[in-house]
Amino acid sequence: MRVEQFVVAYQVDQDRIRAMLPEGFTSLRPVMRVNAEIRNHRRLYLELNTPVSGFEKRGWLNLASWSSPELTIDREGASMIFRAEHLEFIFTPTGSLGACPAERDNDGCFYFEGGAMRFVPAEQIGSRKESCDCMFSWKYPLGGAHGISIGGKTLPALPSLPKMTWPKVEPTAENAAMIPCVQVLGQYKVVFER
């Protein structure tokens, strides 16, 4: 299957991530990441996740996902605009190529489906990435995170020690979207065969 994947990672308050994590998981970094995919030129898929450690593995905890028909895409020139009921992500490739980011602590992704956890090992992607400019907005009735990239730059997100204990909340897209974006950390497009 041909996959055209658009990725944006943004920094948030790590204490708020900790308040969302299910039992058995620890937050690795103050990051939310969105992976948006166009599969075989037509099927759409998007997921929201955060880096975690749990069950003797390190990787990404999937908080929510959307697919066609609840997820749509529009093309405006070179820009790709992904939309679902409460979100909009705009990616504009810049033409600058590089290697996919190294994720030394990524064993794979944790998914919860029907009350059960499933772990999917990480994909090895050898394709070069293309930097993008990115803008995103979560649109819930009480607001939501929004951000804009800084000229295609990739920035680090270092773990922080706990400073505040937030009330426990469910690990949902809406709760994750309510955590303000501190800054966009990186964004790119990569095309590969799965």
Side-chain angles (χ1 to χ4, degrees):
M1 162 186 355
R2 180 185 190 272
V3 176
E4 190 175 356
Q5 186 180 72
F6 297 80
V7 179
V8 61
Y10 62 97
Q11 184 177 347
V12 295
D13 178 344
Q14 194 166 6
D15 287 333
R16 301 228 4 220
I17 293 174
R18 291 180 180 109
M20 268 195 330
L21 296 182
E23 191 70 33
F25 289 100
T26 303
S27 176
L28 293 176
R29 293 181 299 285
V31 174
M32 289 291 171
R33 180 181 76 174
V34 174
N35 294 334
E37 295 182 354
I38 304 169
R39 297 173 174 173
N40 285 336
H41 303 283
R42 66 182 185 281
R43 289 185 325 181
L44 304 177
Y45 176 78
L46 185 142
E47 65 183 27
L48 170 67
N49 47 48
T50 189
V52 295
S53 172
F55 304 95
E56 300 181 9
K57 297 191 182 304
R58 296 163 73 87
W60 296 87
L61 174 64
N62 183 279
L63 300 171
S65 62
W66 298 263
S67 57
S68 311
E70 63 183 352
L71 177 64
T72 63
I73 188 170
D74 291 314
R75 297 175 193 260
E76 291 182 9
S79 296
M80 308 296 276
I81 306 167
F82 293 86
R83 291 186 178 99
E85 182 180 5
H86 296 292
L87 60 92
E88 180 176 272
F89 288 86
I90 303 171
F91 294 91
T92 306
T94 64
S96 176
L97 297 175
C100 278
E103 292 184 331
R104 291 173 204 88
D105 61 357
N106 181 16
D107 296 322
C109 197
F110 298 93
Y111 295 88
F112 286 95
E113 297 165 345
M117 184 181 67
R118 176 174 64 101
F119 182 78
V120 176
E123 290 181 290
Q124 299 302 315
I125 299 173
S127 302
R128 292 173 55 94
K129 69 174 176 100
E130 181 178 5
S131 293
C132 292
D133 288 325
C134 178
M135 188 179 334
F136 74 91
S137 179
W138 291 99
K139 300 172 181 183
Y140 283 95
L142 297 177
H146 56 276
I148 188 165
S149 61
I150 305 170
K153 291 185 179 183
T154 301
L155 306 169
L158 302 176
S160 63
L161 294 173
K163 296 178 198 138
M164 180 176 177
T165 302
W166 287 83
K168 197 76 174 157
V169 295
E170 292 294 315
T172 64
E174 184 170 7
N175 287 332
M178 292 300 121
I179 305 173
C181 169
V182 175
Q183 64 183 350
V184 174
L185 300 168
Q187 56 290 322
Y188 62 89
K189 168 189 169 183
V190 64
V191 179
F192 61 96
E193 291 292 326
R194 175 175 290 149

